[in-house]
Amino acid sequence: MTGLRSLKIAAIAAAGLTYLLIVLGGLVRVTDSGLSCPDWPTCYGHWVPLPADIAAVPGITYSYGQVMLEWVHRLIAGVLLGPIVLAIAVLAVALRARDRGLPGLGALLLVLLLVQGGLGAFTVFDSNSPWSVAVHLGNALIILALLILVATRAAELPEPLPPAPAVSLLAGVAALLALGAMASAAMTTKSGAALACATWPDCDGAWLPDLGDPLVAIHFAHRLLAAATGIAVLALWFACRGLDPARRRLASLALALVVAQVGLGALVIVWQVPLPMAVLHQAVGVLLFVVICRLLWRSASTGRPAAARRSPDGFALHGA
């Protein structure tokens, strides 16, 4: 297995785990399990909390299932994702001759992962305040975007697609808007504003509600960011129509996911935030972010092509 292929597999695996962690974090939020382990990094002083350990905690108001949701979230982040990101950083340094930007990306991923651990601890000590949860989610999404970048560079170094500056700009804007929409969604959930606008697509009969109510303002801001994301993805789809089939497919998939998100968002309100629908809404939103980032990195000039090696008979050889 070549070094680039190993790096690509590691980055994809880490991206998959990060996606799972973000969706699991959404489940932790909507089930109000964020403080079911009130200490960090242990859980009620235990590295592996057993049912008997939790049952012995005086005055506990959380079920063992809620405790396990939070504990498994921490376990995946620390035991599975952490070592893979470390391996990515090591591989990135080993492949610096192929792409001089890889070591910097590997180092940045390690730093952001350490920051993520610190933010996770802070959200616990800050009693899961809406803004701390939103920052924690935002940093996770940045890590996910960088992992997609590493996987893209490892896969496309031999024969990268021609850059498309206009598409990369639109995709960058769409990615930022999607990140903002998801961070505001976390604030909406944690602040209790999920039904501050109890009708859809208007807000309790008004298209421009009274923003003097902080909960309505938070909810309405999320809707505006979601709408702006949808408009940016539509513009992205138009911009990709003249490009290669791969990027056209990504743009079409992003647009389809936007349509799905609009429907899911409406159902979350109409059905009064049912748990499965709320989790699915976040899962599709993160998937939309993944597709946008993939399109962004495939359209940007993200690194130097790998230098072709030549065999003794003069034919170019790519990759090793």
Side-chain angles (χ1 to χ4, degrees), residues 26-188:
L27 181 59
V28 168
R29 269 197 308 281
V30 298
T31 57
D32 200 25
S33 304
L35 292 177
S36 58
C37 289
D39 50 338
W40 190 94
T42 59
C43 185
Y44 295 101
H46 302 282
W47 289 104
V48 182
L50 301 175
D53 300 325
I54 303 305
V57 176
I60 186 170
T61 58
Y62 295 98
S63 68
Y64 186 67
Q66 288 176 295
V67 173
M68 281 294 97
L69 278 177
E70 172 65 13
W71 183 79
V72 168
H73 185 265
R74 296 183 186 184
L75 177 71
I76 295 172
V79 176
L80 297 180
L81 182 59
I84 295 177
V85 171
L86 179 59
I88 288 171
V90 172
L91 283 169
V93 173
L95 292 166
R96 61 189 179 279
R98 301 293 299 272
D99 182 347
R100 291 180 298 182
L102 284 176
L105 282 173
L108 181 57
L109 277 169
L110 276 179
V111 170
L112 288 176
L113 192 64
L114 291 173
V115 169
Q116 188 71 356
L119 288 172
F122 184 78
T123 59
V124 173
F125 300 140
D126 195 42
S127 300
N128 271 194
S129 66
W131 74 267
S132 66
V133 171
V135 172
H136 188 51
L137 173 59
N139 193 68
L141 290 167
I142 293 172
I143 291 172
L144 180 57
L146 290 177
L147 287 168
I148 296 168
L149 173 56
V150 171
T152 302
R153 289 175 84 131
E156 294 184 357
L157 275 172
E159 297 178 3
L161 291 172
V167 171
S168 64
L169 176 61
L170 281 172
V173 170
L176 289 174
L177 288 170
L179 190 154
M182 283 184 282
S184 66
M187 290 193 68
T188 299

